[in-house]
Amino acid sequence: MNGAVEAANKNIKKIIEKMTVNYRDRHEMLPFTLLAYRTSIRSSTGTTPYSLVYGMEAVLPIEVEIPSMRQRMARAFNKKVRLREFSPGDLVLRKVLHIAPESRGKFAYKYYGPFIVKEAFDGGAIILNDMDGNENVLPVNADTLMKYYP
């Protein structure tokens, strides 16, 4: 494998040598060494091997007890999230997701409707009826809806 495994083993060996006093302690420090190696950023990819495998950054054990920047960012994000609850019979407008080529540019309509909520599910999926009572076949996400007040 063109030396990739050997290079990784060499780096792990360097880390474990810095963490141990003598060679007999190496087996005790191996899990901590692997955690340090997997959660350190590589200059070649600009990210950690853990995030490449799992698609998100690892939460370190110290971050559970001490509020980190990640927890503060999540708290700031969650403060701005608006809860949208729809019940059957509500009138809603649906966001225009695809702009038509002959649209009016920035003066085009952002929402269209109104529609009537037929059924609302827990995950945010909603089945709509148009004003004539015809049911839309596909459910829509609650993020694309806005309550309509006539």
Side-chain angles (χ1 to χ4, degrees):
M1 294 259 331
N2 69 7
V5 175
E6 288 82 7
N9 287 341
K10 179 181 69 172
N11 290 331
I12 291 171
K13 186 178 175 185
K14 283 182 184 178
I15 295 170
I16 207 165
E17 285 175 355
K18 292 178 183 178
M19 295 177 70
T20 58
V21 177
N22 57 19
Y23 69 93
R24 293 184 185 140
D25 299 335
R26 288 186 178 183
H27 69 283
E28 295 173 0
M29 289 295 171
L30 185 61
F32 304 111
T33 304
L34 291 174
L35 178 69
Y37 182 75
R38 291 174 184 151
T39 57
S40 60
I41 295 175
R42 303 282 169 265
S43 59
S44 60
T45 59
T47 185
T48 65
Y50 187 92
S51 66
L52 289 174
V53 172
Y54 296 107
M56 62 181 186
E57 288 296 330
V59 177
L60 301 176
I62 191 76
E63 290 181 353
V64 174
E65 296 181 17
I66 300 172
S68 67
M69 183 65 177
R70 182 181 316 182
Q71 289 166 331
R72 283 185 272 159
M73 286 173 35
R75 196 176 319 126
F77 175 80
N78 290 336
K79 245 194 285 186
K80 295 186 180 194
V81 172
R82 293 183 307 167
L83 183 64
R84 296 182 180 192
E85 292 185 5
F86 299 102
S87 57
D90 287 347
L91 292 176
V92 294
L93 296 174
R94 185 174 176 187
K95 185 182 277 188
V96 176
L97 297 177
H98 302 289
I99 304 297
E102 66 276 351
S103 69
R104 303 179 201 174
K106 67 180 182 179
F107 299 111
Y109 294 113
K110 308 289 189 271
Y111 289 90
Y112 63 95
F115 295 97
I116 302 170
V117 175
K118 179 183 178 192
E119 192 173 356
F121 299 102
D122 290 338
I126 295 178
I127 296 178
L128 299 176
N129 287 347
D130 60 7
M131 294 302 285
D132 297 331
N134 300 328
E135 181 179 334
N136 291 352
V137 178
L138 297 175
V140 295
N141 197 327
D143 292 342
T144 63
L145 299 178
M146 177 175 70
K147 281 202 176 183
Y148 175 69
Y149 301 100

